Amino acid sequence: MSSAFEELGLKVHHTFVPYEEFGKRTQELKQAQLIIVSLSFGELYPNIINDIVTERVTCDEVLKNATLECKKILSVVKSNTDAKIIWAGFDDYLINVETVYGNTPPLSGLVDRINQNIIDILTDDDYVDIKRLVARIGINQAYSIKGKYRWNALYSKDFIKLLSDEVFKQYLIYAGITRKCLILDCDNVLWGGVVSEDGIEGIHLGRDGLGREFQDFQRFLQNLYYHGVILAVCSKNDEEDVLRVFREHSGMILKEEQIACFQVNWDSKATNIRAIAEELNIGTESMVFVDDSEFEIEAVKSFLPEVITILYDRERMYEKFSCFNLKSEINLEDIEQRNNTYRTNRSRKALMDSCNSYDKYVELLSNNIEIHRILPMEYSRVAELTQRTNKCTNGKRYTVAELKKRLRNPEAHLYSVSLSDRFSNMGIVGAMEIENGELGLFSLSCRALGRNVENKMLEFITERYTLKSILFKQSDRNMQLLMLMQELIPDAEFLKL
């Protein structure tokens, strides 16, 4: 796990705190950016089976006691840090009574009930289901009896590796490090068969038989969509045939309006992926491409090595989608607004092509820009925006917890920026922060580029504050913003973020 974090430029320092010293060792908590809480149910309640059998204690009493202990630990952590907390749940697979009781030990689902209470009290923090991880590799492979009695290390090396990978995954989700766009072939990916040869009535797509796997895959894709992944179609086909399947086939789970961009023609896949990137105004390094053809996969790898490619294979495919690190909560209104913006980009391009000047295009767009102090209901969207934006940004990233911490500072002023035009309402597309004359955050979604919104944002700030300095993390992608800031705010000092 350390090497994975270090690849992101983060230093890992492990601090192990004995349970009985937990409340006294607060300095480590204050310095941490990520805290993992993992308690052993067997260590806390070593005689649980005998106590319950002899009625010295009831399951409900243990449930209450364990929940209180977890609340106490969580309270200590939260009172000493704003760090991200990942809580690993309890497991009860190594209570060695199944050999005599069978697989119905007398705990009445106690551990599951405790874990559910932990989930309920965590609210903003994350929970790792230890029992699910054990199930992935099996009980016999998850534990180390020798390690338990020799080093007080209950879990095997294989399980620790699996748990470490899950912790790293949770960090990537927390930090918003993920691919943004999934590009899909159609024939033998979204449905079985070739629509141009088999016709809409001849393709395999449905709840039974050969079509079932494709419906299952579409359900998976729809779930990605609901969690913010941009879906696009790249297919060598006649567009009319593909759209007819989307509009008329009763077996389709994915809807046409959930696809941000269709590139359906007979050009090369690499050419069409570039066209999708241009239409959506996102980088190809944020894309993933799925196809059933090894030839097409290898061609895209050759011409666009930064694109992650996945060969469609129902047996071993889903694990390859781990390049997406998505938050479990969703805001469907934001997602639909974003997707509608991408879908209407063709109309904007047509309008631009019809205008004889850029100024006329911006005028006809009828942009409506609203800038106001950030509201609590906007924290999640603004945090996501700072994490996902790479082009028009000073490089500052925020999590929701970090935003809340910043807002406790009365000198920090944070603003959100909303945008609508004649074609759609885009919702929140930008964010800014100013503190004591220093611009610490500037972030604008790529969806809003090309209509002078960044100029309006800087104008808003400079009219209200005297900017002395600007924090900036320079990259190959945000040079245009750097030059704009240098032009519009020539007296400000640029400090390395």
Side-chain angles (χ1 to χ4, degrees), residues 170-187:
Q170 293 298 328
Y171 176 80
L172 294 176
I173 294 170
Y174 166 70
I177 301 172
T178 184
R179 293 276 164 153
K180 297 180 183 179
C181 179
L182 179 58
I183 302 174
L184 302 154
D185 184 28
C186 291
D187 295 328

Side-chain angles (χ1 to χ4, degrees), residues 171-445:
Y171 176 80
L172 294 176
I173 294 170
Y174 166 70
I177 301 172
T178 184
R179 293 276 164 153
K180 297 180 183 179
C181 179
L182 179 58
I183 302 174
L184 302 154
D185 184 28
C186 291
D187 295 328
N188 294 310
V189 172
L190 293 183
W191 52 76
V194 180
V195 67
S196 63
E197 299 175 2
D198 303 323
I200 186 173
E201 68 284 348
I203 61 175
H204 302 294
L205 184 62
R207 292 184 297 177
D208 302 306
L210 297 176
R212 183 177 178 181
E213 68 169 278
F214 299 102
Q215 271 203 345
D216 287 345
F217 184 51
Q218 286 195 29
R219 290 189 180 94
F220 174 77
L221 297 174
Q222 197 171 62
N223 189 261
L224 295 184
Y225 166 81
Y226 289 140
H227 287 83
V229 176
I230 306 165
L231 301 181
V233 165
C234 174
S235 175
K236 288 183 177 178
N237 250 312
D238 290 324
E239 187 173 38
E240 182 180 348
D241 290 339
V242 168
L243 291 178
R244 187 180 172 210
V245 177
F246 271 88
R247 294 167 182 173
E248 300 180 17
H249 200 291
S250 61
M252 284 295 294
I253 302 295
L254 277 179
K255 307 303 178 186
E256 180 183 352
E257 57 269 20
Q258 293 171 334
I259 305 298
C261 177
F262 285 89
Q263 283 292 330
V264 183
N265 51 52
W266 299 98
D267 292 338
S268 74
K269 296 292 178 75
T271 298
N272 280 331
I273 289 172
R274 289 193 187 98
I276 291 171
E278 181 178 355
E279 183 170 328
L280 300 181
N281 200 14
I282 61 177
T284 51
E285 74 281 353
S286 65
M287 292 178 160
V288 179
F289 172 61
V290 182
D291 202 296
D292 68 306
S293 166
E294 290 189 27
F295 171 82
E296 298 290 3
I297 290 291
E298 292 303 319
V300 170
K301 281 183 180 180
S302 176
F303 289 102
L304 298 171
E306 69 278 14
V307 175
I308 291 178
T309 56
I310 298 175
L311 181 66
Y312 184 89
D313 177 357
R314 69 177 183 182
E315 304 294 336
R316 297 178 297 275
M317 176 179 57
Y318 287 97
E319 62 187 36
K320 298 178 182 178
F321 286 89
S322 61
C323 53
F324 291 105
N325 304 302
L326 309 176
K327 292 179 171 62
S328 57
E329 69 273 9
I330 67 171
N331 186 321
L332 195 55
E333 182 179 355
D334 282 348
I335 289 164
E336 290 179 344
Q337 281 182 341
R338 183 188 312 155
N339 204 56
N340 192 39
T341 300
Y342 289 128
R343 287 178 53 78
T344 52
N345 273 348
R346 286 189 178 183
S347 298
R348 294 183 182 88
K349 187 176 186 305
L351 177 65
M352 178 184 289
D353 292 342
S354 70
C355 296
N356 54 17
S357 72
Y358 177 74
D359 290 340
K360 185 65 175 178
Y361 164 68
V362 173
E363 177 189 341
L364 292 178
L365 265 181
S366 302
N367 290 318
N368 180 31
I369 304 170
E370 180 187 351
I371 303 176
H372 60 254
R373 292 287 183 95
I374 186 173
L375 302 172
M377 67 182 68
E378 298 171 338
Y379 291 171
S380 180
R381 168 58 188 148
V382 168
E384 178 192 32
L385 176 72
T386 67
Q387 294 162 1
R388 292 170 64 99
T389 303
N390 296 305
K391 191 171 184 179
C392 196
T393 174
N394 71 325
K396 180 64 179 177
R397 315 286 187 186
Y398 273 129
T399 64
V400 172
E402 289 167 341
L403 273 178
K404 291 179 179 179
K405 183 178 180 180
R406 290 295 294 142
L407 288 163
R408 290 201 289 269
N409 180 356
E411 301 299 323
H413 307 289
L414 281 99
Y415 295 90
S416 66
V417 183
S418 300
L419 176 66
S420 61
D421 63 18
R422 61 185 289 182
F423 297 109
S424 69
N425 178 8
M426 303 177 195
I428 295 174
V429 296
M432 298 177 289
E433 177 193 13
I434 183 88
E435 179 185 357
N436 296 325
E438 182 171 87
L439 184 64
L441 168 68
F442 188 97
S443 185
L444 179 64
S445 170

